[in-house]
Amino acid sequence: MAPENFEERIVWFALTKMYVFYFLGALYIVGPVLGWVLFAVVLLRYLRKDQGRALPFPVLIWIVGMIVMLFCVVVGHLQQHLSTAQLIKSSIGWAKGWALMALFMLAGSCLNIRQELIVRATMKVCLHTLLLLPLFIGAWVLRLPETAYVSPLKAIGGPGPEFFAVSLYELDPGSGLPRWRIFTPWAPALGFVANIFFLFAMAEKEARWRSIGMIASVLMILMSQSRLAIVVLLFIIGVMLTLHYFRGWILIAMIAAVFQVFAFIGPWLIEGIGTVYENIKAARADSTRVREALARIAIERWRSEAPVWGHGIVERGPHLVEYMPIGSHHSWYGLLFVKGVVGFTALAIPLFVSFILLIPKIHTSDIARTGCLSCGLLFFYTFGENLEILAYLIWPGLMAIGMAHAETLKTASIKNIGDQRESAHGID
């Protein structure tokens, strides 16, 4: 497995050298630079008219949605009477966040980048993780400082020093137990990335690399101690097993049977799920309390102060939420607070369209299956993370969505050509 063109070379380099960039404190810089370089490649190919791939309609919707996000930033700043300097800063933040969502999907759909190459590159990251685990675990055993150092690159600017820090481990303030975030800014984000890697491991063709990817991904999820990451991992495993053993009408019949059974045992099942949910929340009560308080504050201030366009910027919460940013830990609440109902819709519509259009192809195409499940991961993590701030890490999953839409468009075009040929033969 080796890169065959410019775009594959830079994607391969960015992934396989991930830990080099991490120890340099440059990961937060590499992601946005890669996204905009790939966009420049797409634009250049279209200007030269040597771009052979058409732009899939769902990717166009993502592009429009992310442009609407920028419009929300501008209107929100004007309505809140914020300074021009703040508007420029927020626009740069958009370019490093929401814009990347569309740019990486655009690159995946329009550039000649093979899914197999991205999958193998992520498997190499998993291998490097396994090799470095003794370092991270040993640091906790030896009680070394939790943060080894913060890169001088933080002077470039970013959400916080944790995006440029080399963290060896951290102690949960509630339980006192260790948890790891490795190359991500916080531990739950590691669970997010690890689930993307696990999904890619399921698409790996070689058994050896597939085993490495699955083992490393599960270890990262467990080390992150993220409750959401474990739930999402079980979801991925359940979906993959279902798709493997049940196909076509058998799957439809099974779903119908599940609905019939649910009609009888639904109330007891819902009660049981509620009990399990409360137990999960009680496992990290402090974290749950902060998240719920942040959600309440975001909703109340959105409704009463800026329902349409939002507040324009992120604001720190009170002492009650440990000064966490309002709307953090939840993409939907964050969007409502910062960008209002317009920003909320700008994410909801593209995500819904991508998911709905890829579901019918989930049986017939490996790329479509990976892209569809990547949409599922994005949806799950909108309830536990801010997608915008982690776009620089989750971009392989975003590219998979773009590739899936390109494959669907290609399949539809081939079918149309075949239908036209059959019609022509019929006329003859």
Side-chain angles (χ1 to χ4, degrees), residues 244-405:
H244 180 74
Y245 289 106
F246 302 98
R247 295 180 179 274
W249 288 105
I250 298 177
L251 179 60
I252 296 174
M254 187 188 69
I255 294 174
V258 169
F259 277 109
Q260 290 293 330
V261 173
F262 185 80
F264 291 99
I265 66 171
W268 294 277
L269 183 60
I270 292 174
E271 183 178 352
I273 292 174
T275 302
V276 172
Y277 175 69
E278 292 300 327
N279 292 336
I280 291 175
K281 291 200 302 181
R284 297 187 66 229
D286 291 339
S287 174
T288 301
R289 176 187 60 79
V290 170
R291 288 175 181 270
E292 292 178 347
L294 284 169
R296 289 195 303 271
I297 294 173
I299 291 297
E300 290 173 3
R301 291 195 56 188
W302 161 67
R303 285 175 177 171
S304 60
E305 299 174 7
V308 179
W309 298 101
H311 292 79
I313 59 173
V314 176
E315 296 181 16
R316 290 282 176 182
H319 176 69
L320 172 66
V321 293
E322 302 175 7
Y323 305 106
M324 291 281 187
I326 298 174
S328 61
H329 301 81
H330 202 293
S331 291
W332 302 116
Y333 292 147
L335 279 172
L336 288 174
F337 181 80
V338 179
K339 296 177 174 64
V341 70
V342 177
F344 182 98
T345 306
L347 174 62
I349 292 178
L351 188 57
F352 176 78
V353 169
S354 284
F355 192 69
I356 292 300
L357 292 182
L358 290 177
I359 282 181
K361 303 294 183 181
I362 198 169
H363 277 300
T364 58
S365 169
D366 291 338
I367 297 178
R369 181 162 53 250
T370 303
C372 185
L373 290 177
S374 294
C375 286
L377 290 184
L378 293 184
F379 176 73
F380 273 113
Y381 272 95
T382 56
F383 298 98
E385 292 288 352
N386 190 324
L387 297 183
E388 173 192 18
I389 210 167
L390 295 178
Y392 78 101
L393 285 175
I394 63 173
W395 61 265
L398 301 176
M399 292 193 74
I401 297 173
M403 292 176 180
H405 285 306

Side-chain angles (χ1 to χ4, degrees), residues 107 142 147 163 167 221 236 244 253 272 284 330 418:
L142 298 175
T147 301
F163 286 79
S167 172
I221 289 171
I236 294 175
H244 180 74
R284 297 187 66 229
H330 202 293

Side-chain angles (χ1 to χ4, degrees), residues 200-257:
F200 279 26
M202 301 292 284
E204 172 59 53
K205 303 301 182 183
E206 289 193 20
R208 179 171 62 95
W209 282 109
R210 183 166 59 250
S211 299
I212 289 173
M214 293 175 67
I215 292 171
S217 300
V218 171
L219 285 176
M220 284 188 281
I221 289 171
L222 295 177
M223 293 173 69
S224 73
Q225 294 188 28
S226 169
R227 297 164 293 176
L228 179 58
I230 295 174
V231 171
V232 171
L233 174 63
L234 296 176
F235 165 77
I236 294 175
I237 295 174
V239 170
M240 296 301 288
L241 289 176
T242 301
L243 293 175
H244 180 74
Y245 289 106
F246 302 98
R247 295 180 179 274
W249 288 105
I250 298 177
L251 179 60
I252 296 174
M254 187 188 69
I255 294 174

